[in-house]
């Protein structure tokens, strides 16, 4: 990897608040509330929280047009992306089943 690409990969990412994501998408709290099926007051409280479920955060990010990724960085091993957190378990099982070879005698 060239030096420029290495520096870009290791550069700190900008820190933003949920409110910044929403405003960057040109949406109001009312818009987001309608998309998520909650009241505007719920969005207001959510944007002020420092702790929430990953599924809640994922829905919020998707509602403003993004995709949530959870990355774990370690000092002694490679960085990894943690998959399937906060997602529907049935969809995960179906995708895994579709990727695995069928057992003998199964369709």
């Amino acid at each position: 990897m060239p030096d420029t690409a290495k520096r870009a990969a290791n550069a700190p990412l900008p820190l933003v608040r949920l409110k910044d994501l929403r405003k960057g998408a040109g949406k109001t709290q009312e818009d987001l509330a309608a998309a998520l099926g909650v009241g505007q007051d719920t969005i207001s409280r959510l944007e002020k929280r420092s702790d929430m479920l990953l599924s809640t955060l994922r829905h919020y990010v998707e509602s403003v047009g993004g995709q949530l990724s959870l990355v774990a960085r370690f000092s002694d091993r490679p960085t990894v992306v943690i998959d399937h957190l906060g997602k529907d378990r049935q969809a995960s099982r179906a995708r895994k089943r579709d990727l695995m070879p069928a057992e003998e005698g199964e369709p």
Side-chain angles (χ1 to χ4, degrees):
M1 184 182 295
D3 282 344
T4 307
K6 283 182 186 176
R7 276 194 303 267
N10 292 325
L13 298 174
L15 296 176
V16 297
R17 298 172 297 170
L18 292 179
K19 179 169 121 176
D20 300 327
L21 293 177
R22 176 179 50 78
K23 286 185 171 188
K27 297 191 179 219
T28 65
Q29 287 183 342
E30 291 83 7
D31 295 334
L32 211 54
L36 294 173
V38 298
Q40 177 273 326
D41 59 321
T42 301
I43 299 301
S44 178
R45 285 193 309 272
L46 183 67
E47 289 180 345
K48 294 175 185 168
R49 293 187 70 180
S50 61
D51 189 20
M52 68 186 72
L53 295 172
L54 285 173
S55 58
T56 302
L57 181 58
R58 181 175 52 85
H59 288 129
Y60 186 100
V61 170
E62 288 174 354
S63 293
V64 295
Q67 182 180 2
L68 184 67
S69 296
L70 184 60
V71 176
R73 290 186 174 93
F74 302 93
S75 61
D76 62 341
R77 53 190 167 170
T79 298
V80 296
V81 175
I82 299 172
D83 196 15
H84 299 301
L85 282 178
K87 292 183 181 178
D88 179 28
R89 287 190 168 284
Q90 293 291 16
S92 297
R93 284 189 204 126
R95 188 166 63 216
K96 187 182 276 187
R97 183 186 63 237
D98 291 343
L99 294 174
M100 296 177 70
E103 298 275 335
E104 191 172 317
E106 286 187 52

